[in-house]
Amino acid sequence: MTHADTVIDPALEDGGPTSPDRLGHPPAPVRKKRFGLRILLVAVVTALIAGGLGQFALFAHKVASAEAPTTANADAIVVLTGGHARVSEAVRLLEEGRASRLLISGVHPGTTREQLAAVTASDLPLEKASVDLDRVALNTAGNATETAAWVRKNGFGSLLVVTSAYHLPRAQAELSGALPNVDLIAYPVFSKDLKLGTWYQEPDTMRLLMREYVKYILARLRIAVQGVG
């Protein structure tokens, strides 16, 4: 074989290898590019996770630090069912004269006014003249829909919103979407069994807050999409 017949190895040319080596590995520039993309992907995912955890922590802190207004009055009160404490607190506010009318939203179809009065230990009967029962709503979105219809029918301009503290952000989001021109006054109800002050040390409380946070975010997204549409 003559010198002229020798084939130049591309790997020996200026610029280094531009094709896979004999072991099938990609050339160095390609490996560096892929490594950089992996680092970028990890950084983006880490930032998203950190941001999500930060937003959840803010949500949990807002719930844990919520306070019931001591002097707030409104045209009417709405309580979203989900526990005796919620309804009892709403009835107490009505009896104190904080509003002239109360809607109990999400009442089971078989529940009577007498039964509600008994579990709330009300001093006054839940008369139709001052207390309305919504037996249609099955969830928070339904609560908002039925409450909006009730508010518009009666021409109320302000509303005391009574529900559990952890449920209040989502309830407010749903009601704000359904009643954008009505003044909503949040009134959180706290359960003695739920340790919100130390939620980060209580696995059950943390799980409850995380589930509620996800529901809150999904509700906000749905309301935003409906608003655009």
Side-chain angles (χ1 to χ4, degrees):
M1 180 180 296
T2 65
H3 184 75
D5 294 328
T6 303
V7 178
I8 299 176
D9 188 348
L12 301 179
E13 295 182 355
D14 293 340
T18 57
S19 60
D21 59 21
R22 291 184 179 86
L23 297 178
H25 299 144
V30 175
R31 291 199 300 271
K32 290 181 180 179
K33 183 177 181 180
R34 290 180 180 176
F35 179 74
L37 289 175
R38 292 193 190 101
I39 293 296
L40 178 62
L41 179 60
V42 170
V44 170
V45 171
T46 302
L48 290 174
I49 293 174
L53 291 175
Q55 290 299 314
F56 166 70
L58 289 174
F59 173 85
H61 175 73
K62 179 180 179 180
V63 170
S65 60
E67 295 182 357
T70 57
T71 58
N73 294 325
D75 293 339
I77 304 167
V78 61
V79 56
L80 282 60
T81 56
H84 293 165
R86 300 182 187 181
V87 180
S88 296
E89 193 68 11
V91 171
R92 184 185 67 81
L93 292 172
L94 180 69
E95 292 177 349
E96 287 182 355
R98 297 289 195 95
S100 60
R101 201 167 185 87
L102 165 66
L103 173 66
I104 305 176
S105 180
V107 177
H108 187 277
T111 302
T112 66
R113 290 177 180 270
E114 291 74 19
Q115 289 172 327
L116 284 171
V119 299
T120 59
S122 173
D123 294 332
L124 300 173
L126 305 185
E127 298 177 349
K128 293 182 179 180
S130 57
V131 180
D132 294 305
L133 306 183
D134 157 37
R135 303 179 186 274
V136 177
L138 300 175
N139 50 38
T140 306
N143 292 140
T145 299
E146 296 305 315
T147 301
W150 179 74
V151 167
R152 295 189 185 103
K153 177 182 177 181
N154 292 280
F156 298 136
S158 59
L159 197 62
L160 267 171
V161 180
V162 181
T163 188
S164 297
Y166 68 85
H167 183 229
L168 199 49
R170 181 158 57 103
Q172 281 189 287
E174 294 282 7
L175 286 167
S176 295
L179 294 166
N181 299 318
V182 173
D183 183 20
L184 303 177
I185 304 170
Y187 197 98
V189 177
F190 296 91
S191 171
K192 296 179 180 179
D193 299 327
L194 193 60
K195 300 177 181 178
L196 288 174
T198 55
W199 63 268
Y200 45 85
Q201 297 176 344
E202 307 291 337
D204 290 342
T205 303
M206 188 179 296
R207 282 192 290 269
L208 172 65
L209 289 174
M210 290 185 73
R211 286 196 300 269
E212 188 60 34
Y213 177 67
V214 171
K215 292 179 181 179
Y216 168 71
I217 293 298
L218 292 176
R220 290 287 300 270
L221 289 173
R222 175 177 49 77
I223 293 168
V225 170
Q226 290 175 345
V228 172

